[in-house]
């Protein structure tokens, strides 16, 4: 090696090392919110006396995961390797564990309280033991201790004080589950962040490290379950070959407290078992499922259970055999019950009948079965009565099934909300849904209280979110879509959390600790949902997306064989006005709601304007609260949505020197697409509705760039 090269190598290493220590590493978003870059010097000085060493006594995969996370987190945040000790040998230790895993935790005599919090609850408390100061993270279960460890790291990442800690936490919902609509060929239905994370062809021999990182991320926000495959299920997932692969995934997730579940195909006994029927009341069918459950549990002792889409959109179900949803769900539940598994039976059913309105279909089909489901069945109900639209009123089943265990299904992936191109913080939508008052037991009977068991004492509780993850390096396609994964977990842990708090945590953990910059980003996130509704479906419009892929507008669509797969079915524009009359003069779907919310929705004068066109066919010249006509207001809302995206782009551009260049540029590129799309939505929809309204665009609304014909023949590219 010549002299010059010899001299260059140490210099290069030094440059790389300083580059890394300054936190200037590849900012590709892989680390999600679990970034442990070093804190400012003064903060480190403040924290140091509290976090001088780490004591995680005991041995188990979960305890090892706790140790690993805290070592990485504390060392990264403090900028020096944290000392790991076997016992409390100095002031300022962090001690973590359960009364069984850790003699130190046992000495705190918290058993009673910890038992009351359950195996996932935890306490983080500043304590003294043998005269030494320590922070104790204690739980009755190791996974609870892991959750506590992530909580402590979050406090530090968001620069909260560590003095006199006394935190008591427990999850409000028992099942906090991601639903992956992943197919066995690696594609993801409605997935916009690459391919499936589960590499079926390599499993079980090779388990990608990424699966562990997925489980870490889930655990960091309290997600404790993952349905691995699409609800449009392939029966093969239950074959011996695939179950071995599923078991390997379960092994990778287990230390992080994430259980695996599977979507099943109701006709699997025929396809896999060669039976002539899948009739749930046929003893051979029930026996096949019992045997299948036994086989699954022999491989995966903590298997969570089944998710079922039956008699919906072409999926098989009990109806073929003239059996009911309860017959189907309870037969499966009986197979799982001896092992402690659950059935999540989906309420997404909508068979057309004469005089039918899709918004009332699931209510009509399932309400009669209230009280008829087995104790280990949950009815999984989408947040709104149609299908994950940008805005829907809450699903009426939440106010109608007091004797059934209901769990909401939210969609984290943005099927109808601009895929992974649009910045939208979904916690705002979910908050609106959870706060909706069903009036089931008088005022204050919010959806949150129905599902967390406080209204009816529902024993099994849960929340499902259709995942937005994929093989993209940044997991979710859009850096800001990570916030929706984060927010889902936080809300499933505590459905009462405020979106602002969630956004503040996430921004500080993900983008910046600078309070002023963080506040600007948080504000953008909090405004983003209303803006998206403005430029896509304001005033209660819904399901006017391009058919099939659902990206971009197509309010003119009327070609599908089923009326309720056409946009015109949903908006009903005519020369008189716009909107779906769901009152007594129309479909009367409003009667699925309890009084007085039913009457509030049914009366055009009291119906919240955000749901106006959902419940009413409104004349074009009807005056809204603003004093403007429906037509003018509609046009101005679309414009307002566009204006917001433009302002957001400017705001983001202005943050260029405060965010790392890589993520800043990537988000900026997405915001440019979002602006293009918002303009497209505005122009296409207004041009189309103008053919009915026959009124000019009001002042302040920009003229469209193209003709209606152009929009009707051009599908927006994503
Ligand atoms: C998984 C909508 C989506 C489908 C999805 C279905 C469901 O119809 O477009 O892709 O199928 O909902 O939730 O079952």
């Amino acid at each position: 090696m010549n002299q010059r090269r010899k001299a260059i190598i140490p210099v290069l290493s030094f440059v790389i090392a300083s580059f890394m220590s300054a936190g200037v590493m590849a900012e590709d978003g892989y680390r999600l919110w679990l970034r442990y870059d070093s804190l400012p010097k003064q903060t480190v000085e403040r924290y140091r006396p509290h976090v001088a060493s780490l004591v995680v006594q005991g041995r188990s995969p979960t305890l090892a995961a706790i140790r690993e996370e805290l070592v990485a987190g504390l060392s990264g945040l403090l900028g020096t390797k944290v000392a790991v000790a076997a016992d409390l040998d100095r002031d300022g230790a962090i001690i973590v564990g359960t009364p069984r895993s850790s003699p130190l935790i046992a000495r705190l005599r918290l058993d009673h309280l910890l038992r009351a919090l359950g195996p996932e609850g935890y306490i983080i408390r500043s304590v003294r033991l043998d005269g030494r100061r320590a922070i104790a993270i204690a739980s009755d279960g190791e996974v609870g201790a892991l959750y506590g460890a992530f909580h402590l790291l979050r406090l530090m990442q968001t620069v909260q004080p560590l003095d006199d800690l006394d935190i008591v936490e427990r999850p409000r919902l028992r099942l906090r589950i991601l639903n992956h609509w992943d197919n066995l060929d690696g594609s993801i239905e409605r997935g916009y962040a690459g391919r499936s994370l589960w590499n079926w062809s390599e499993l079980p021999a090779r388990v990608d490290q990424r699966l562990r990182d997925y489980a870490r991320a889930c655990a960091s926000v309290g997600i404790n379950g993952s349905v691995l495959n699409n609800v449009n299920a392939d029966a093969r997932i239950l074959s011996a070959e695939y179950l071995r692969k599923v078991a390997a995934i379960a092994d990778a997730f287990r230390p992080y407290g994430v259980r695996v579940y599977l979507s099943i195909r109701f006709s699997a006994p025929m396809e896999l078992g060669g039976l002539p029927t899948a009739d749930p009341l046929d003893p051979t069918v029930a026996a096949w499922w019992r045997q299948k459950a036994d086989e699954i549990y022999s491989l995966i002792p903590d298997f969570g259970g089944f998710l079922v889409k039956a008699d919906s959109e072409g999926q098989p179900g009990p109806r073929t055999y003239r059996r009911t949803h309860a017959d189907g769900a309870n037969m499966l539940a009986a197979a799982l019950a001896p092992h402690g598994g659950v059935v999540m039976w989906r309420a997404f059913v909508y068979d057309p009948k004469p005089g039918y309105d899709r918004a009332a279909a699931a209510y009509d089909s399932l309400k009669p079965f209230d009280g008829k489901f087995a104790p280990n069945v949950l009815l999984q109900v989408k947040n709104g009565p149609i299908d994950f639209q940008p805005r829907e009123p809450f699903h009426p089943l939440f106010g109608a099934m007091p004797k059934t265990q209901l769990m909401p299904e939210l969609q984290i992936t943005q099927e109808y909300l601009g895929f992974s191109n649009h910045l939208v913080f979904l916690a705002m939508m979910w908050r609106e849904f959870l706060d909706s008052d069903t009036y089931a037991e008088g005022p204050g009977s919010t959806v949150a209280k129905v599902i967390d068991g406080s209204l009816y004492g529902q024993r099994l509780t849960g929340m499902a979110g259709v995942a937005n993850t994929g093989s993209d390096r940044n997991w979710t396609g859009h850096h800001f879509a990570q916030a929706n994964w984060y927010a889902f977990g936080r809300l499933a842990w505590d459905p009462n959390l405020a979106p602002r708090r969630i956004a503040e945590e996430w921004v500080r953990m993900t983008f910046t600790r600078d309070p002023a910059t963080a506040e600007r980003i948080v504000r953008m996130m909090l405004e983003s949902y209303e803006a998206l509704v403005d430029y896509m479906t304001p005033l209660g419009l819904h399901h006017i997306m391009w058919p099939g892929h659902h990206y971009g507008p197509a309010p003119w669509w009327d070609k599908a064989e089923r009326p309720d797969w056409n946009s015109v079915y949903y908006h009903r524009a005519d020369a008189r006005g716009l909107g779906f009359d769901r009152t007594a003069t129309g479909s009367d779907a409003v009667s699925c709601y309890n009084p007085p919310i039913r009457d509030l929705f049914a009366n055009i004068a009291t119906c919240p304007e955000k749901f106006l066109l959902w419940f009413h066919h409104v004349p074009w010249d009807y005056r809204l609260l603003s004093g403007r006509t429906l037509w003018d207001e509609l046009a101005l809302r679309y414009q307002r949505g566009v204006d917001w995206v433009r302002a957001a782009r400017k705001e983001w551009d202005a943050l260029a020197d405060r965010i790392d260049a890589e993520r800043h540029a990537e988000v900026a590129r997405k915001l440019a697409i979002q602006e293009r799309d918002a303009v497209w939505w505005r122009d296409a929809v207004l041009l189309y509705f103008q053919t009915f309204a026959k009124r000019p665009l009001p002042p302040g609304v920009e003229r469209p760039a193209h003709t209606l014909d152009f929009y009707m023949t051009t599908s927006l590219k994503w």
Side-chain angles (χ1 to χ4, degrees), residues 16 27 46 93 380 451 551:
I16 292 167
E27 288 293 11
R46 250 193 311 129
Q380 182 165 311
I451 63 157
Y551 193 81

Side-chain angles (χ1 to χ4, degrees), residues 181 189-190 230-232 309 313 346 348 350 382 387-388 409 415-416 550:
W181 287 357
E189 183 155 348
R190 312 304 179 188
N230 192 351
V231 287
N232 293 327
K309 174 176 179 176
E313 298 186 332
R346 291 177 90 227
F348 183 63
Y350 59 106
K382 290 190 181 183
D387 188 13
F388 297 140
E409 177 178 321
E415 172 181 356
Y416 294 96
H550 298 158

Side-chain angles (χ1 to χ4, degrees), residues 378-404:
L378 291 122
L379 191 64
Q380 182 165 311
V381 186
K382 290 190 181 183
N383 58 297
I386 299 286
D387 188 13
F388 297 140
Q389 294 303 294
R391 174 169 267 146
E392 300 193 31
F394 68 93
H395 201 303
L397 280 175
F398 288 106
M401 300 196 73
K403 290 179 270 172
T404 302

